[in-house]
Amino acid sequence: MTTAPTGRTRKRATKGATMAAVARLAGVSPMTVSNVINNKVSVQPATREAVLKAIAALDYRPNAAARALASASTLRIGLVHRDEESALLSAMLVGALKATSRLGVQLIIQTYDPATAFDDILRFAATDLDGLLLPPPLCERFSGSGLSARLAIPIVALAPGKALPDMACVRIDDEAASFALTSRLIAHGHRAIAFVLLPDTHVGIARLEGYRRALRTHGLTEDPALVWHARPLFSEGLVLAEAKLVPGVPVSAIMAGNDDMAAAFVNVALRRGMRVPEDISITGFDDSPIAIKIWPTLTTVRQPLAEIAEQATDMLIAMLRNPGADRTVPRFVDFTLIERSSVCDRPAA
């Protein structure tokens, strides 16, 4: 794994961070760093995540990758990410590294600035990449821009909310997942269920439809006032929770857009003397590490991002090795409804 070079000529890596430096930053041994790079199954998930973060932070380039960089015959797959999305990045890296190591392909990672995301992608693609992996929700926005036609390389989208017309994708069925989670809350006796919509995303639209379908299926009427809007960040969850969790709040359950946002709702609810889940039940989405690090632990939907990234990388490499393959066929992976302590039965009125 490495970061993108600035030009199109493939050169050997210059001297930079060492494995020992990565080990010191991650608080592990150099052998553990080696085991992560080589995808040894013996490494604990939390340790793997710490090492991958250190590799990204130090721009560490393993010697094997540096040797591969000099070979024009080595396929080079690019993956873009944002620094703020550490849980998402870690999961994607685990899956993409597993596939590229298994198939003898080089993985190159590059950050992007949300303000210049499209230009960043175009510049990254021009660094002699053979294929590109785009994370959510960036893949949805880039597809809608029409810019993918300017790239001469195949793209695979990770976890978009629907099939995209100009790129293949690997995803869960977000509409079905939201339907299952909403139905479960209804089975627990909840009727006033607030839904947090992720704005300007296909994922948000698909999950909203699942929420609405569950209400219709169970004979409940949607209240538009219970559809709230916020981006899937802890900070924005805090702002929304501060505005909505007021005395006499007319909801018994809240479906947050992701686990970070759900954690923010739990934080504000507890600070305001509300019991979770007795006074208000809260659910997340993704089953990221924070879901089991807070109390109460979160009921959520497990979206297997590492598996999605691995399958997407497999798909992209297969497309490169078989140029005639269909580049727009979506592939689905299973989601899982995870029930924990943040939801309980609602007593009958």
Side-chain angles (χ1 to χ4, degrees), residues 317-335:
I317 294 169
M319 290 160 56
L320 290 168
R321 291 174 174 169
N322 178 19
D326 191 331
R327 298 189 176 196
T328 60
V329 176
R331 180 184 298 175
F332 286 92
V333 297
D334 292 333
F335 65 86

Side-chain angles (χ1 to χ4, degrees), residues 139-140 142-149 153-156 163-168 327-328:
C139 56
E140 297 180 355
F142 191 74
S143 175
S145 73
L147 290 174
S148 59
I153 59 175
I155 308 171
V156 176
L164 302 176
D166 51 357
M167 60 185 74
R327 298 189 176 196
T328 60

Side-chain angles (χ1 to χ4, degrees), residues 114-302:
T116 59
F118 293 170
D119 288 336
D120 292 345
I121 292 172
L122 294 174
R123 281 193 294 268
F124 186 35
T127 59
D128 213 12
L129 295 178
D130 296 299
L132 187 61
L133 298 168
L134 290 183
L138 180 60
C139 56
E140 297 180 355
R141 296 199 295 267
F142 191 74
S143 175
S145 73
L147 290 174
S148 59
R150 291 176 53 181
L151 302 183
I153 59 175
I155 308 171
V156 176
L158 307 175
K162 70 174 187 178
L164 302 176
D166 51 357
M167 60 185 74
C169 67
V170 181
R171 53 183 288 248
I172 66 168
D173 187 334
D174 284 275
E175 193 271 348
S178 182
F179 175 86
L181 183 56
T182 309
S183 296
R184 191 60 190 147
L185 288 171
I186 294 171
H188 278 290
H190 295 276
R191 298 296 180 266
I193 303 170
F195 176 87
V196 181
L197 173 64
L198 306 181
D200 303 318
T201 65
H202 297 319
V203 165
I205 294 171
R207 294 180 190 172
L208 177 61
E209 180 51 40
Y211 163 79
R212 287 171 168 169
R213 181 164 67 90
L215 295 180
R216 293 194 302 268
T217 298
H218 296 280
L220 301 178
T221 301
E222 178 189 350
D223 181 354
L226 297 186
V227 177
W228 305 338
H229 300 74
R231 293 192 301 156
L233 303 173
F234 182 85
S235 58
E236 297 216 4
L238 285 177
V239 172
L240 183 61
E242 294 281 357
K244 297 297 185 180
L245 294 182
V246 295
V249 58
V251 301
S252 65
I254 297 170
M255 296 174 61
N258 71 352
D259 297 327
D260 282 347
M261 187 183 296
F265 270 93
V266 171
N267 179 295
V268 173
L270 295 179
R271 283 194 284 109
R272 292 188 169 174
M274 302 176 71
R275 299 172 301 164
V276 180
E278 292 84 0
D279 294 330
I280 190 162
S281 292
I282 298 171
T283 67
F285 206 101
D286 291 335
D287 198 28
S288 58
I290 197 172
I292 58 172
K293 291 180 179 178
I294 67 167
W295 183 259
T297 53
L298 290 175
T299 289
T300 187
V301 171
R302 177 173 294 157

